Amino acid sequence: MTTPAGYTPGRSYKVTLRGNGVGTTITVIADPQGRLHIDVPLGPGNPYQQDTAPGILAGTHVYTTIVGIG
Amino acid sequence: MNRPRGNASAKAAWLAVATSLALANVGVVPGAAASPVSLQDGHGLHVVGVQPLDARLLAVTVSTPALPGTARIRILLPAGYATDPSRRYPVFYLLHGTSGGAEDWTTKGNAEQATAGLPLIVVMPDIALNDGGGGWCTNWYNQGHYGQPQWETFHIDELIPWVDQNLRTIASREGRAIAGLSQGGFCSISYPARYPDLFSIALAYSGAPNIAHDLDSELGSTLIINLTEVTLDGAPPNSMFGDRATEQINWEDHDPDTLAPNLRNTDLFMYFGNGAPGPLDPSPVNPGATPIEALVARDNVEFHDRLISLGIPSHYDAYGPGTHSWPYWDRDLMWSLGPIMDDFAHPPARPRRVNYTVADPEYSVYGWQVVMYRPAMEFSTLANADGKGFSLAGSGTGL
């Protein structure tokens, strides 16, 4: 994910991620445009397209990861 | 830039060169009055022709790889546009309906007279080629092959930045409103629901804002869209959004009712009748105009109920007797111009925290760029996004 510009270019930011099996803090450096690039793990990808018969039978599981930027 | 100075012949020579360059660049129709603006290619659009129809109205023809034929755009400039080169104006995108074209609002409708004297640029693009059935403002699924027509690409990725490139617009969400009638009224709510950072005001005149959230609306919209594809566009059924059995999520991903939470910071207006003949209907009444308006009335009621359930305010004008016809859409336009101008003067605030739900695999909203890495299409939600953090819901990984 890429945030909007608004952070100080070149400065380090502590980023905490909490979610399904995720609990970590990483350091992210703002890019020259003042944006942060953060990979956000959610959970296993659902194999079937949502709102199709296979998708309804298997269920579309939704995982939430909360990201804090300090 | 060095400009020719001096005698009259030098000025005349410079004028001739400048005129020929302008003609070459914008394809002005020979013999037409001089255009008050110079429209250049850009953002995927090639300007094929520009014909000033009067002091305010331009008929523009463009080509784009997104569409299989040339598209028309009618542009109404505000009075005095050429005399005050420092002034910028808000833009009102105004869409026609099924079996119509860009010229409808200034030929069948009264948009030119209604907007006279307003400090406003009105842009009226085709949402159908050659007055065909129209494409429901989506990039067609085409039985999984995608490709042309890509109406959403044309309107969102090409037309809007092209307008901002060529005209003195207020090039931000706060300077854009969008309205449409019937099918165009689906587009004028669907686009703000998918791109809430592009428009601050959305209006539907006898629109169809529910194609995928309630069973009765699904049945009605499937029938109408399949008929449009087969009988008016000459395409196989389900060319636009796909078969409900396998591509329901693509319908939902363009459905204002499904995406209604994204409209929380958009000023929404809905105008519609109940289908019964009303005070503006001719005698005899067009027999097709009654059931269609009754259908869209039900659609609008369901959409309004959904907005209420979400706590999203809207301006809801169920005006009673009235059919699916131009006299009512002209009246809707007249009634809504005051609120539109008020909103441009005092635009709705941007959200302090961004909340956005969509099934697209990648998107950009209010500066947040998200790429969902996952095996299958599904909805994901970016929530409570501000400078201190956010949450992301879905499966796989957000990159």
PDB file of all heavy atoms in Angstrom, chain B residues 60-77:
ATOM      1  N   VAL B  60     -17.948  18.887 -29.836  1.00  0.00           N
ATOM      2  CA  VAL B  60     -16.596  18.331 -29.944  1.00  0.00           C
ATOM      3  C   VAL B  60     -16.713  16.848 -30.305  1.00  0.00           C
ATOM      4  O   VAL B  60     -17.585  16.146 -29.802  1.00  0.00           O
ATOM      5  CB  VAL B  60     -15.836  18.486 -28.608  1.00  0.00           C
ATOM      6  CG1 VAL B  60     -14.407  17.974 -28.737  1.00  0.00           C
ATOM      7  CG2 VAL B  60     -15.866  19.934 -28.144  1.00  0.00           C
ATOM      8  N   THR B  61     -15.839  16.409 -31.179  1.00  0.00           N
ATOM      9  CA  THR B  61     -15.751  14.985 -31.504  1.00  0.00           C
ATOM     10  C   THR B  61     -14.341  14.510 -31.159  1.00  0.00           C
ATOM     11  O   THR B  61     -13.360  15.184 -31.496  1.00  0.00           O
ATOM     12  CB  THR B  61     -16.019  14.748 -33.003  1.00  0.00           C
ATOM     13  OG1 THR B  61     -17.287  15.317 -33.341  1.00  0.00           O
ATOM     14  CG2 THR B  61     -16.047  13.262 -33.317  1.00  0.00           C
ATOM     15  N   VAL B  62     -14.264  13.371 -30.469  1.00  0.00           N
ATOM     16  CA  VAL B  62     -12.963  12.838 -30.074  1.00  0.00           C
ATOM     17  C   VAL B  62     -12.890  11.361 -30.439  1.00  0.00           C
ATOM     18  O   VAL B  62     -13.914  10.690 -30.591  1.00  0.00           O
ATOM     19  CB  VAL B  62     -12.703  12.995 -28.552  1.00  0.00           C
ATOM     20  CG1 VAL B  62     -12.665  14.457 -28.159  1.00  0.00           C
ATOM     21  CG2 VAL B  62     -13.725  12.232 -27.730  1.00  0.00           C
ATOM     22  N   SER B  63     -11.670  10.882 -30.570  1.00  0.00           N
ATOM     23  CA  SER B  63     -11.461   9.444 -30.685  1.00  0.00           C
ATOM     24  C   SER B  63     -10.555   8.996 -29.561  1.00  0.00           C
ATOM     25  O   SER B  63      -9.774   9.789 -29.013  1.00  0.00           O
ATOM     26  CB  SER B  63     -10.845   9.091 -32.045  1.00  0.00           C
ATOM     27  OG  SER B  63      -9.556   9.665 -32.168  1.00  0.00           O
ATOM     28  N   THR B  64     -10.673   7.733 -29.206  1.00  0.00           N
ATOM     29  CA  THR B  64      -9.900   7.166 -28.107  1.00  0.00           C
ATOM     30  C   THR B  64      -9.781   5.665 -28.308  1.00  0.00           C
ATOM     31  O   THR B  64     -10.740   5.036 -28.795  1.00  0.00           O
ATOM     32  CB  THR B  64     -10.563   7.454 -26.742  1.00  0.00           C
ATOM     33  OG1 THR B  64     -10.022   6.527 -25.766  1.00  0.00           O
ATOM     34  CG2 THR B  64     -12.070   7.259 -26.782  1.00  0.00           C
ATOM     35  N   PRO B  65      -8.668   5.087 -27.918  1.00  0.00           N
ATOM     36  CA  PRO B  65      -8.570   3.615 -27.975  1.00  0.00           C
ATOM     37  C   PRO B  65      -9.595   2.925 -27.084  1.00  0.00           C
ATOM     38  O   PRO B  65      -9.843   1.736 -27.256  1.00  0.00           O
ATOM     39  CB  PRO B  65      -7.149   3.335 -27.485  1.00  0.00           C
ATOM     40  CG  PRO B  65      -6.406   4.605 -27.672  1.00  0.00           C
ATOM     41  CD  PRO B  65      -7.403   5.708 -27.497  1.00  0.00           C
ATOM     42  N   ALA B  66     -10.180   3.671 -26.159  1.00  0.00           N
ATOM     43  CA  ALA B  66     -11.144   3.050 -25.247  1.00  0.00           C
ATOM     44  C   ALA B  66     -12.467   2.722 -25.925  1.00  0.00           C
ATOM     45  O   ALA B  66     -13.226   1.886 -25.425  1.00  0.00           O
ATOM     46  CB  ALA B  66     -11.395   3.974 -24.049  1.00  0.00           C
ATOM     47  N   LEU B  67     -12.759   3.383 -27.044  1.00  0.00           N
ATOM     48  CA  LEU B  67     -14.071   3.213 -27.683  1.00  0.00           C
ATOM     49  C   LEU B  67     -13.891   2.809 -29.145  1.00  0.00           C
ATOM     50  O   LEU B  67     -12.939   3.238 -29.805  1.00  0.00           O
ATOM     51  CB  LEU B  67     -14.867   4.516 -27.601  1.00  0.00           C
ATOM     52  CG  LEU B  67     -15.199   5.016 -26.194  1.00  0.00           C
ATOM     53  CD1 LEU B  67     -15.890   6.380 -26.253  1.00  0.00           C
ATOM     54  CD2 LEU B  67     -16.074   4.009 -25.450  1.00  0.00           C
ATOM     55  N   PRO B  68     -14.846   2.041 -29.676  1.00  0.00           N
ATOM     56  CA  PRO B  68     -14.712   1.558 -31.054  1.00  0.00           C
ATOM     57  C   PRO B  68     -15.091   2.592 -32.108  1.00  0.00           C
ATOM     58  O   PRO B  68     -14.939   2.319 -33.299  1.00  0.00           O
ATOM     59  CB  PRO B  68     -15.688   0.371 -31.089  1.00  0.00           C
ATOM     60  CG  PRO B  68     -16.691   0.664 -30.038  1.00  0.00           C
ATOM     61  CD  PRO B  68     -15.976   1.430 -28.971  1.00  0.00           C
ATOM     62  N   GLY B  69     -15.563   3.742 -31.718  1.00  0.00           N
ATOM     63  CA  GLY B  69     -15.901   4.799 -32.668  1.00  0.00           C
ATOM     64  C   GLY B  69     -15.679   6.149 -32.036  1.00  0.00           C
ATOM     65  O   GLY B  69     -15.322   6.249 -30.855  1.00  0.00           O
ATOM     66  N   THR B  70     -15.869   7.208 -32.836  1.00  0.00           N
ATOM     67  CA  THR B  70     -15.695   8.542 -32.268  1.00  0.00           C
ATOM     68  C   THR B  70     -16.825   8.847 -31.297  1.00  0.00           C
ATOM     69  O   THR B  70     -17.964   8.393 -31.466  1.00  0.00           O
ATOM     70  CB  THR B  70     -15.654   9.609 -33.376  1.00  0.00           C
ATOM     71  OG1 THR B  70     -16.846   9.516 -34.163  1.00  0.00           O
ATOM     72  CG2 THR B  70     -14.435   9.444 -34.252  1.00  0.00           C
ATOM     73  N   ALA B  71     -16.496   9.630 -30.295  1.00  0.00           N
ATOM     74  CA  ALA B  71     -17.478  10.032 -29.287  1.00  0.00           C
ATOM     75  C   ALA B  71     -17.689  11.538 -29.371  1.00  0.00           C
ATOM     76  O   ALA B  71     -16.785  12.288 -29.735  1.00  0.00           O
ATOM     77  CB  ALA B  71     -17.000   9.645 -27.892  1.00  0.00           C
ATOM     78  N   ARG B  72     -18.908  11.942 -29.040  1.00  0.00           N
ATOM     79  CA  ARG B  72     -19.245  13.364 -29.063  1.00  0.00           C
ATOM     80  C   ARG B  72     -19.281  13.922 -27.643  1.00  0.00           C
ATOM     81  O   ARG B  72     -19.668  13.229 -26.705  1.00  0.00           O
ATOM     82  CB  ARG B  72     -20.603  13.568 -29.736  1.00  0.00           C
ATOM     83  CG  ARG B  72     -20.638  13.131 -31.190  1.00  0.00           C
ATOM     84  CD  ARG B  72     -22.062  12.899 -31.649  1.00  0.00           C
ATOM     85  NE  ARG B  72     -22.703  11.866 -30.835  1.00  0.00           N
ATOM     86  CZ  ARG B  72     -23.980  11.521 -30.949  1.00  0.00           C
ATOM     87  NH1 ARG B  72     -24.760  12.147 -31.800  1.00  0.00           N
ATOM     88  NH2 ARG B  72     -24.483  10.569 -30.181  1.00  0.00           N
ATOM     89  N   ILE B  73     -18.900  15.170 -27.545  1.00  0.00           N
ATOM     90  CA  ILE B  73     -18.962  15.878 -26.267  1.00  0.00           C
ATOM     91  C   ILE B  73     -19.543  17.254 -26.557  1.00  0.00           C
ATOM     92  O   ILE B  73     -19.037  17.974 -27.425  1.00  0.00           O
ATOM     93  CB  ILE B  73     -17.565  16.041 -25.628  1.00  0.00           C
ATOM     94  CG1 ILE B  73     -16.835  14.703 -25.522  1.00  0.00           C
ATOM     95  CG2 ILE B  73     -17.673  16.702 -24.262  1.00  0.00           C
ATOM     96  CD1 ILE B  73     -15.329  14.837 -25.301  1.00  0.00           C
ATOM     97  N   ARG B  74     -20.586  17.615 -25.883  1.00  0.00           N
ATOM     98  CA  ARG B  74     -21.082  18.994 -25.949  1.00  0.00           C
ATOM     99  C   ARG B  74     -20.581  19.732 -24.706  1.00  0.00           C
ATOM    100  O   ARG B  74     -20.672  19.202 -23.598  1.00  0.00           O
ATOM    101  CB  ARG B  74     -22.612  19.028 -25.994  1.00  0.00           C
ATOM    102  CG  ARG B  74     -23.203  18.485 -27.301  1.00  0.00           C
ATOM    103  CD  ARG B  74     -23.083  19.494 -28.414  1.00  0.00           C
ATOM    104  NE  ARG B  74     -23.378  18.918 -29.721  1.00  0.00           N
ATOM    105  CZ  ARG B  74     -24.529  19.086 -30.375  1.00  0.00           C
ATOM    106  NH1 ARG B  74     -25.486  19.798 -29.841  1.00  0.00           N
ATOM    107  NH2 ARG B  74     -24.706  18.542 -31.566  1.00  0.00           N
ATOM    108  N   ILE B  75     -20.076  20.917 -24.933  1.00  0.00           N
ATOM    109  CA  ILE B  75     -19.548  21.726 -23.834  1.00  0.00           C
ATOM    110  C   ILE B  75     -20.235  23.078 -23.840  1.00  0.00           C
ATOM    111  O   ILE B  75     -20.261  23.763 -24.867  1.00  0.00           O
ATOM    112  CB  ILE B  75     -18.022  21.913 -23.951  1.00  0.00           C
ATOM    113  CG1 ILE B  75     -17.310  20.560 -23.898  1.00  0.00           C
ATOM    114  CG2 ILE B  75     -17.502  22.837 -22.849  1.00  0.00           C
ATOM    115  CD1 ILE B  75     -15.807  20.632 -24.164  1.00  0.00           C
ATOM    116  N   LEU B  76     -20.806  23.443 -22.714  1.00  0.00           N
ATOM    117  CA  LEU B  76     -21.380  24.780 -22.526  1.00  0.00           C
ATOM    118  C   LEU B  76     -20.425  25.599 -21.670  1.00  0.00           C
ATOM    119  O   LEU B  76     -20.144  25.226 -20.524  1.00  0.00           O
ATOM    120  CB  LEU B  76     -22.730  24.681 -21.823  1.00  0.00           C
ATOM    121  CG  LEU B  76     -23.963  24.424 -22.672  1.00  0.00           C
ATOM    122  CD1 LEU B  76     -25.161  24.082 -21.785  1.00  0.00           C
ATOM    123  CD2 LEU B  76     -24.278  25.648 -23.538  1.00  0.00           C
ATOM    124  N   LEU B  77     -19.940  26.677 -22.232  1.00  0.00           N
ATOM    125  CA  LEU B  77     -19.068  27.567 -21.475  1.00  0.00           C
ATOM    126  C   LEU B  77     -19.906  28.644 -20.803  1.00  0.00           C
ATOM    127  O   LEU B  77     -20.961  29.032 -21.323  1.00  0.00           O
ATOM    128  CB  LEU B  77     -18.046  28.221 -22.405  1.00  0.00           C
ATOM    129  CG  LEU B  77     -17.072  27.258 -23.085  1.00  0.00           C
ATOM    130  CD1 LEU B  77     -16.265  27.991 -24.154  1.00  0.00           C
ATOM    131  CD2 LEU B  77     -16.151  26.610 -22.064  1.00  0.00           C
TER     132      LEU B  77
END
